[in-house]
Amino acid sequence: MAADTPKPDAFLAACPSRDVMARLGEKWTMLVLVALTPGAIRFGALHRRVEGVSQKMLSQTLRHLEEDGMVTRHVFDERPLKVEYKLTELGRSVLPLVDAIKRWSEENLAQIQAARDARG
Amino acid sequence: MAADTPKPDAFLAACPSRDVMARLGEKWTMLVLVALTPGAIRFGALHRRVEGVSQKMLSQTLRHLEEDGMVTRHVFDERPLKVEYKLTELGRSVLPLVDAIKRWSEENLAQIQAARDARG
DNA sequence: CGGGATCCAGGTGGATACTG
DNA sequence: CAGTATCCACCTGGATCCCG
């Protein structure tokens, strides 16, 4: 209960919250999180849903999310192998934020492209 | 007014909204946007506020944001030189989202570190 | 003061091949 | 099916120097 750590502030170079932001900013993290919205989903289905992600990167992204406590991994003892991923409570808490980023990117795409074009 | 472009969907590999998300995910973009919250701010002040960013990266980040229509640049004809940056309407519209990401990262840092530690 | 130009180390992430 | 391992091309971004 001790307040032994100061309030995190991402403006400070040494603040570990920067690592968290960096992780969220990694190439596939946000898309994978949003793809986990409907609930438990298999690796293959996820792979198909997030177009263009390689097996390696999907696997790595999921491992990172699992390490950070945002995703749980459940292996089913079946043949062929079946592995499902789902969001934890922590993962669900960030979902509205990354989903908002994704929707904003989609909804404002035209305006951004217009801004780029207006500049040549 | 023609609906000549399909609805953007970042799950699709070819969707340009991925570029927008990627840009927001670039190392300094979110922090710079949040740093612009109070209003017009000079390059040097921004440089001091976002600890650890190099001149090159701050400059590049601001140029990108300007290209995308999220920031405007205003040069004052003074000696020594004075340049101010401020958010556009588009920039202000994304601000709540990236600020939420920053605050979530700060507020859930302890829990994430705990998840990592619990794993060794 | 506010950058642009250059150089370069290191990291990111894709392709491919292999495994339980 | 669901990964891991390896190799490597590219890009990000930091350091440094220079300029209006």
Side-chain angles (χ1 to χ4, degrees), chain A residues 43-113:
Chain A
F43 185 90
L46 212 41
H47 195 189
R48 266 169 266 118
R49 181 94 179 97
V50 183
E51 278 194 6
V53 68
S54 65
Q55 280 198 334
K56 172 190 166 185
M57 289 314 298
L58 179 55
S59 174
Q60 180 180 116
T61 302
L62 287 167
R63 233 182 305 119
H64 286 166
L65 289 174
E66 198 190 357
E67 286 168 10
D68 288 356
M70 291 191 256
V71 162
T72 54
R73 179 174 184 272
H74 191 282
V75 183
F76 293 83
D77 201 4
E78 303 178 6
R79 234 72 40 167
L81 200 52
K82 173 177 162 182
V83 181
E84 281 189 349
Y85 295 88
K86 55 185 282 232
L87 294 173
T88 62
E89 183 63 35
L90 183 64
R92 278 191 295 278
S93 76
V94 77
L95 189 53
L97 312 187
V98 298
D99 187 56
I101 293 283
K102 172 174 173 291
R103 281 186 291 102
W104 186 92
S105 300
E106 292 164 350
E107 290 163 6
N108 293 276
L109 170 61
Q111 190 173 346
I112 289 168
Q113 285 179 325

Side-chain angles (χ1 to χ4, degrees), chain A residues 63 66-69, chain B residues 111-120:
Chain A
R63 233 182 305 119
E66 198 190 357
E67 286 168 10
D68 288 356
Chain B
Q111 190 173 345
I112 290 168
Q113 285 178 326
R116 289 177 183 169
D117 293 349
R119 190 171 308 266

Side-chain angles (χ1 to χ4, degrees), chain B residues 26-28 54 56-57 60 81:
Chain B
E26 279 166 14
K27 187 162 185 180
W28 301 103
S54 65
K56 172 189 166 184
M57 289 314 298
Q60 180 181 116
L81 200 52

Side-chain angles (χ1 to χ4, degrees), chain A residues 18-36:
Chain A
R18 286 203 175 170
D19 299 341
V20 178
M21 291 184 71
R23 172 118 330 157
L24 291 174
E26 278 165 15
K27 187 163 184 178
W28 302 102
T29 302
M30 299 206 228
L31 283 180
V32 167
L33 283 172
V34 176
L36 288 164

